[in-house]
Amino acid sequence: METRTTDLAPVGKRGPQREAAVENLQYLTFNLAGESYGVDILKVQEIRGWVPVTKVPNAPVFVRGVMNLRGAIVPVVDLRLRFGLESVEYTKTTVVIVVTVHTEQSDRIIGMVVDGVSDVLNINNAADIKEAPNFGSAVSTEFINGLVALDSGMVMLLDVDRLLSVEEMFSLDTVRNSSQAALAHAS
Amino acid sequence: MAIDIGQFVQTFFDESLEGLDVMEAGLLALSPGAADLEQINTIFRAAHSIKGGSGTFGFSEVTDFTHAMETLLDKMREGRLTVTAEAVNTLLESVDCLREMLVSLREQVDIDNAQVEKLRVRLLRLLEQNEGNGTATSKVATAKPTSPPPPPSPTAETTDWRIEFLPHAQLMHSGNDPVRIFRELSTLGALTVRADCSRLPRLAEMNPEDCYLSWRLELQNAASREAVAEVFAWVEDECDLRIEPLTGAVPPVAPEVQKSAPKDTPEAAKTSTEETHQGELVLERRSSGDRRKGERRTNAAAADSGSIRVSIDKVDAVINLVGELVTTQSMLSALGVDFEMSRLDKLHEALDQLDRNTRDLQEHVMRIRMLPVSSVFSRFPRIVHDVSGKLGKQVELLMNGEQTEIDKTVIEKIGDPLVHLVRNSLDHGLEPPAERLEQGKPETGNIMLDAYHKSGSIFIEVADDGRGLNREALLRKGLENGLLKAGEDYSDEQIYELIFHPGLSTAKQISDVSGRGVGMDVVRRNIQDVGGNIQIASEPGRGTKITICLPLTLAILDGQLVTIGQDCYIIPLLSIIESVQARPEMINRLAGKNEVFHFRGQHLPILRLYELFGTKGAQTDLEKGLLVVVEADGRQVGLFVDDLLGQQQISIKSLEKNFRRVPGVAGATILGDGRVGLILDISGLIRINHTI
């Protein structure tokens, strides 16, 4: 895997404070529905090919189920569905990125299904990360850390902790609603 | 050769905290007025050890405080101080204080000296109050009517002593050195030492680590007898010690004081026989000291959750089983070399053997984590004693089945719920003595704790013979809070269920013991968290009984695999009563939507699992699938599944670790083909079924 570095001339804000805060940030980039996203590489535990998962009853629709990761039960989230996009058939290149999500109580291991994995992105200059534009209330953007402009396009950097936070995703209300819906539908 | 004693500090803390438990249990068992010498001795020895140990490690606050307690206990056991309820309570509080001190020292946090000082003053006051006859201090006792005013005790009492010190052979094995003792004695006064080497064997036969010498010492112008005796505190279990006043140099008053007492009261008779008593006591101490150590060893595991005490035979059983497992393994490897189909049945045999070995090993290893319930029950005597005293009620606590064993994690989780239930009984259930008499009940109320095994689960019961639950008050509260609808007829159970509702309380007053209405829902949740359930039975005026049912172990269970659509689920074997093929004549519909089926004279609801789980592609025709009749919480239900697969033993993995708790699912497991199988939570499903 080729490591690409960005060395754009800093546009906009510049100054000594920013200089001081420069660290070497690495992001694993992946593709989803034609877009590129990146997650902090330190949070990525491993990358696996797609394996059939066991469905969990009354889970939100983007939780496809749970899988066996060397003895641990790990939930698998379909990011397309999480973003409200159409789901697709899983192919040979479909991968599951297993990440460690940090919550107040503990660290959880969660897998996310993406279309394909790309390169590791090295960001030398924190200034390159621009803030995400506000799309209005229709789209929640609190899990987007920022945007990076590359030659090949834009990469949206995701905050894994917020993206896959248990409270937001797995709230009891979501479950109750979906189960009631299922029963209403059945009877 | 300075040994770093720092490494032993942790042991000192562990042992001292255990010693405090012993003291507490002993104090609770003391009935005021009757001085059970054996009991007092046990308490005294525990205090004594703590004092000695704390001295070694330089914890002077502990030493000083324990010394005050010890003096009080010493007087009690010599009969010079009566065992009053006040004394016992003060000592109990001192035990608490000492526990806090030790914990503070262990955590290297500051000790609350103000608290310590307050208690010490109380102890000293008790000592002064009850000074009977005797040689001890110069204060004149506030005499009880039965005993005459003591003879004016000489302020300058005997200070010359002859000490005969005969250490046992192993004295030096515990690191004690007579020379150090003598050195300390010499700081008390003028000391002459004479050694008796008569028991020394020849050099060739001598064990250099044993002590063969004995000594006669004379100490002049020293301190009180107690001060002298204290120097030998550390070794008193390992020697024969006699401390006598040095005759000749003794002022005539002293022997008189000893001897004049017997004329007066029977109590003083004890003091005159003090001498011989002392000698006897020394021997007694030695033998019961060992017994005490034995007791401590068999005590249930420490409250510390990081470690566990396991009985040796459990460990031996596991070692044996591992040995058998190794044998089976070598059998299998031998078979594996040049395997031919003709040896297939030998292979089967060996695999069966392996199956048995693994099961046995599993069972025995799980038992290691099982502790007797007594480790939870042991805190209740103290709680009942304190709370009943505070509330002015008379309560007797009966405990049964303390040896019943439960998994350690379960024990830790049910401790607090049980305390809450007992406090509820004490506060709300049991009536004050006057009310009880009015009702024709005995003045003393009873709280009964019982633990037993039954059909693969552990049952713990908390029962009292108090007022019982007030159905009317609960009904009213339920209606007030909108949890119940007016006009509907509710069964007793449904009304009692209300007490589990957070925020609901029928207590007229909120005390600091209970009554806020936040406890019971937490209790139930805690119990459900470990896979158990809780049920209430009550009779107004007669009492209440709360039954908690807990699973035996948390990690492994026997499961029946079933399929629903493409998915494989597991039903715990213990909850399955029977599996039947549904026939149309068995099935009825109630009120148009609830399906029930006729099973052994009962009508049980049918739970279509594929509906509940939203499974696609599952069997929907009742006659083409199977009904698995399961039971939980005393209720039965028929689960509709596609088919039954095999049965196997599965290890339970939690879904909540990385995901969240799913209603109706108790956990997950890895199946033989590597897939994840979900384990059904039968009582959860039944509950869901009821609320739909």
Side-chain angles (χ1 to χ4, degrees):
Chain A
M1 227 191 299
E2 179 197 310
T3 315
R4 219 185 295 148
T5 2
T6 62
D7 39 39
L8 306 171
V11 173
K13 288 202 190 113
R14 68 170 80 206
Q17 337 67 299
R18 277 297 181 113
E19 302 288 328
V22 158
E23 333 152 14
N24 209 354
L25 300 166
Q26 289 190 312
Y27 287 85
L28 172 71
T29 58
F30 58 88
N31 305 322
L32 192 71
E35 303 292 332
S36 289
Y37 297 86
V39 286
D40 183 359
I41 202 155
L42 292 173
K43 297 217 171 239
V44 175
Q45 183 177 299
E46 63 190 87
I47 301 172
R48 291 176 69 129
W50 163 258
V51 285
V53 294
T54 304
K55 252 187 56 80
V56 174
N58 298 325
V61 67
F62 44 79
V63 177
R64 302 294 296 223
V66 287
M67 70 172 175
N68 167 17
L69 187 70
R70 290 186 300 279
I73 312 283
V74 173
V76 176
V77 170
D78 185 323
L79 270 192
R80 276 172 174 263
L81 296 174
R82 171 82 176 103
F83 288 161
L85 305 168
E86 284 263 322
S87 169
V88 287
E89 280 284 328
Y90 292 162
T91 70
K92 274 192 287 247
T93 55
T94 308
V95 289
V96 177
I97 303 179
V98 180
V99 292
T100 313
V101 174
H102 183 72
T103 64
E104 300 141 9
Q105 295 93 16
S106 57
D107 284 344
R108 294 169 186 259
I109 303 176
I110 302 183
M112 25 187 233
V113 182
V114 301
D115 294 351
V117 169
S118 204
D119 306 324
V120 172
L121 186 61
N122 258 341
I123 299 185
N124 286 331
N125 196 341
D128 298 338
I129 304 178
K130 311 281 184 291
E131 269 184 48
N134 198 338
F135 292 115
S137 57
V139 181
S140 156
T141 53
E142 32 168 60
F143 44 76
I144 300 185
N145 261 346
L147 306 171
V148 180
L150 301 178
D151 299 333
S152 48
M154 282 256 289
V155 177
M156 280 175 268
L157 302 177
L158 302 174
D159 180 343
V160 161
D161 292 335
R162 286 224 191 86
L163 179 67
L164 300 176
S165 83
V166 187
E167 294 75 36
E168 201 192 297
M169 284 211 306
F170 306 138
S171 71
L172 219 32
D173 293 320
T174 336
V175 172
R176 208 176 283 141
N177 291 336
S178 53
S179 76
Q180 279 176 352
L183 289 165
H185 184 70
S187 57
Chain B
M1 193 189 53
I3 307 172
D4 174 24
I5 56 170
Q7 46 181 312
F8 303 114
V9 154
Q10 194 49 47
T11 318
F12 162 70
F13 284 128
D14 289 340
E15 289 190 355
S16 299
L17 287 169
E18 276 180 25
L20 283 175
D21 287 337
V22 168
M23 286 177 73
E24 190 179 49
L27 283 166
L28 286 170
L30 274 182
S31 16
D36 181 352
L37 192 65
E38 190 48 56
Q39 202 59 269
I40 302 181
N41 264 329
T42 314
I43 306 170
F44 176 85
R45 280 191 297 266
H48 195 64
S49 280
I50 298 178
K51 189 179 88 165
S54 59
T56 311
F57 292 99
F59 298 135
S60 49
E61 302 104 336
V62 177
T63 318
D64 290 340
F65 188 69
T66 324
H67 181 66
M69 292 172 71
E70 197 191 52
T71 319
L72 193 61
L73 288 162
D74 198 18
K75 294 235 180 309
M76 278 188 190
R77 74 173 173 174
E78 288 174 358
R80 285 193 278 157
L81 194 108
T82 41
V83 180
T84 59
E86 193 201 336
V88 171
N89 279 336
T90 312
L91 281 170
L92 276 172
E93 284 181 52
S94 310
V95 167
D96 287 338
C97 180
L98 202 46
R99 204 178 269 135
E100 271 174 40
M101 281 168 82
L102 286 172
V103 170
S104 307
L105 282 169
R106 185 174 67 182
E107 315 287 318
Q108 298 183 328
V109 158
D110 287 328
I111 301 179
D112 181 0
N113 280 318
Q115 166 85 325
V116 173
E117 199 46 47
K118 254 195 289 182
L119 268 170
R120 191 152 62 143
V121 164
R122 279 169 62 184
L123 287 169
L124 288 174
R125 217 179 317 133
L126 273 172
L127 271 171
E128 292 161 24
Q129 265 181 11
N130 248 304
E131 275 305 277
N133 357 300
T135 57
T137 67
S138 51
K139 297 230 172 53
V140 178
T142 51
K144 298 189 296 318
T146 50
S147 61
S153 22
T155 44
E157 52 163 32
T158 324
T159 57
D160 296 337
W161 305 100
R162 167 185 296 116
I163 305 163
E164 280 178 27
F165 176 45
L166 207 165
H168 301 152
Q170 322 91 294
L171 182 117
M172 298 199 288
H173 288 204
S174 41
N176 293 300
D177 189 351
V179 176
R180 280 206 297 269
I181 300 177
F182 301 157
R183 225 179 273 144
E184 207 184 314
L185 275 177
S186 64
T187 62
L188 291 176
L191 181 71
T192 6
V193 185
R194 258 184 295 254
D196 175 1
C197 311
S198 53
R199 293 187 304 144
L200 257 184
R202 287 186 318 175
L203 190 61
E205 296 159 359
M206 186 172 93
N207 179 356
E209 290 174 359
D210 284 351
C211 184
Y212 301 97
L213 306 176
S214 60
W215 288 269
R216 262 175 174 241
L217 306 119
E218 278 176 18
L219 189 61
Q220 308 211 332
N221 297 324
S224 65
R225 193 178 197 290
E226 270 124 12
V228 175
E230 235 194 85
V231 176
F232 291 92
W234 233 172
V235 300
E236 81 180 354
D237 286 348
E238 293 161 307
C239 69
D240 295 334
L241 185 67
R242 268 173 79 80
I243 305 178
E244 294 165 347
L246 211 49
T247 52
V250 166
V253 184
E256 258 180 42
V257 171
Q258 304 269 18
K259 300 225 172 44
S260 65
K263 286 191 274 181
D264 301 334
T265 58
E267 261 190 305
K270 287 208 189 112
T271 49
S272 72
T273 55
E274 214 179 80
E275 277 314 320
T276 43
H277 203 45
Q278 197 68 19
E280 285 159 18
L281 270 180
V282 170
L283 293 171
E284 253 183 59
R285 271 187 218 149
R286 177 163 55 106
S287 54
S288 0
D290 297 334
R291 193 166 6 121
R292 175 178 54 106
K293 287 197 195 96
E295 255 174 25
R296 280 198 289 164
R297 231 177 279 126
T298 57
N299 237 347
D304 172 32
S305 60
S307 58
I308 197 174
R309 272 242 179 96
V310 183
S311 81
I312 274 284
D313 27 74
K314 284 189 188 175
V315 178
D316 284 341
V318 170
I319 293 181
N320 285 341
L321 287 172
V322 171
E324 286 176 32
L325 187 64
V326 170
T327 314
T328 310
Q329 185 262 331
S330 24
M331 206 160 61
L332 281 168
S333 355
L335 272 175
V337 173
D338 295 334
F339 181 69
E340 292 159 3
M341 285 311 282
S342 57
R343 296 161 80 192
L344 190 61
D345 37 322
K346 278 246 178 296
L347 182 64
H348 279 305
E349 237 179 74
L351 286 173
D352 281 339
Q353 177 92 320
L354 183 63
D355 181 68
R356 273 197 300 277
N357 285 343
T358 329
R359 259 178 210 266
D360 285 343
L361 188 57
Q362 208 172 54
E363 198 187 299
H364 280 81
V365 167
M366 292 309 299
R367 284 219 209 116
I368 289 182
R369 282 178 57 98
M370 311 252 286
L371 297 172
V373 201
S374 51
S375 57
V376 179
F377 281 8
S378 59
R379 57 174 109 165
F380 288 116
R382 181 70 196 275
I383 293 179
V384 169
H385 176 265
D386 287 348
V387 177
S388 61
K390 218 192 311 184
L391 297 172
K393 300 184 183 171
Q394 292 180 340
V395 183
E396 194 181 326
L397 177 68
L398 301 160
M399 300 199 289
N400 207 0
E402 290 114 298
Q403 291 314 307
T404 314
E405 293 194 339
I406 308 189
D407 185 275
K408 187 171 185 289
T409 14
V410 177
I411 281 195
E412 282 167 10
K413 289 256 179 134
I414 57 160
D416 286 339
L418 280 178
V419 169
H420 189 88
L421 292 175
V422 169
R423 295 189 114 170
N424 271 352
S425 284
L426 283 169
D427 203 12
H428 304 297
L430 289 172
E431 314 95 327
E435 201 182 313
R436 284 186 72 90
L437 286 174
E438 267 174 52
Q439 303 219 343
K441 295 188 192 173
E443 249 192 337
T444 310
N446 281 330
I447 294 187
M448 276 138 323
L449 286 173
D450 197 2
Y452 53 90
H453 285 281
K454 198 169 96 157
S455 47
S457 303
I458 306 252
F459 288 84
I460 300 185
E461 290 177 1
V462 180
D464 65 62
D465 62 353
R467 312 188 175 103
L469 290 177
N470 188 339
R471 190 181 192 276
E472 298 312 314
L474 280 170
L475 184 57
R476 221 180 319 123
K477 272 278 178 202
L479 291 170
E480 263 175 40
N481 289 28
L483 293 162
L484 296 177
K485 291 196 281 270
E488 283 214 27
D489 193 19
Y490 291 101
S491 72
D492 285 350
E493 277 103 39
Q494 283 169 314
I495 298 200
Y496 295 154
E497 270 282 306
L498 287 175
I499 73 171
F500 288 118
H501 203 91
L504 196 76
S505 169
T506 57
K508 296 199 187 44
Q509 284 164 309
I510 298 178
S511 65
D512 64 349
V513 175
S514 58
R516 286 175 211 281
V518 288
M520 288 305 272
D521 67 315
V522 176
V523 167
R524 183 157 73 168
R525 205 167 338 122
N526 277 359
I527 292 177
Q528 283 174 348
D529 276 349
V530 290
N533 62 71
I534 179 170
Q535 281 166 334
I536 308 182
S538 176
E539 242 186 273
R542 299 283 303 273
T544 313
K545 178 154 87 168
I546 301 184
T547 311
I548 301 174
C549 174
L550 299 161
L552 258 182
T553 74
L554 298 184
I556 310 255
L557 60 84
D558 285 316
Q560 167 73 56
L561 272 71
V562 297
T563 46
I564 302 174
Q566 295 282 32
D567 304 325
C568 188
Y569 291 88
I570 292 142
I571 303 179
L573 213 52
L574 277 175
S575 11
I576 299 183
I577 301 190
E578 205 178 309
S579 307
V580 291
Q581 183 96 42
R583 288 192 309 278
E585 58 267 21
M586 284 163 51
I587 303 174
N588 293 345
R589 272 179 178 269
L590 289 189
K593 50 181 178 96
N594 294 337
E595 292 174 306
V596 292
F597 74 105
H598 193 89
F599 179 71
R600 305 255 186 97
Q602 282 190 319
H603 287 273
L604 304 179
I606 295 179
L607 198 52
R608 289 182 185 248
L609 285 178
Y610 68 86
E611 258 179 33
L612 192 63
F613 294 156
T615 319
K616 302 190 183 45
Q619 182 60 254
T620 51
D621 190 343
L622 279 181
E623 294 167 40
K624 300 233 180 73
L626 281 172
L627 280 173
V628 181
V629 183
V630 292
E631 175 179 25
D633 306 334
R635 295 195 276 223
Q636 295 184 350
V637 109
L639 301 175
F640 180 62
V641 302
D642 286 14
D643 204 359
L644 295 183
L645 299 178
Q647 289 175 5
Q648 65 180 76
Q649 215 177 40
I650 52 181
S651 64
I652 306 175
K653 292 194 184 284
S654 161
L655 264 185
E656 293 174 65
K657 189 158 180 300
N658 290 322
F659 187 40
R660 57 173 292 279
R661 158 184 265 219
V662 178
V665 175
T669 185
I670 313 285
L671 300 169
D673 58 1
R675 281 190 303 158
V676 175
L678 295 176
I679 305 168
L680 298 180
D681 171 17
I682 305 299
S683 53
L685 287 174
I686 293 182
R687 248 178 283 135
I688 294 176
N689 186 41
H690 271 247
T691 59
I692 295 174

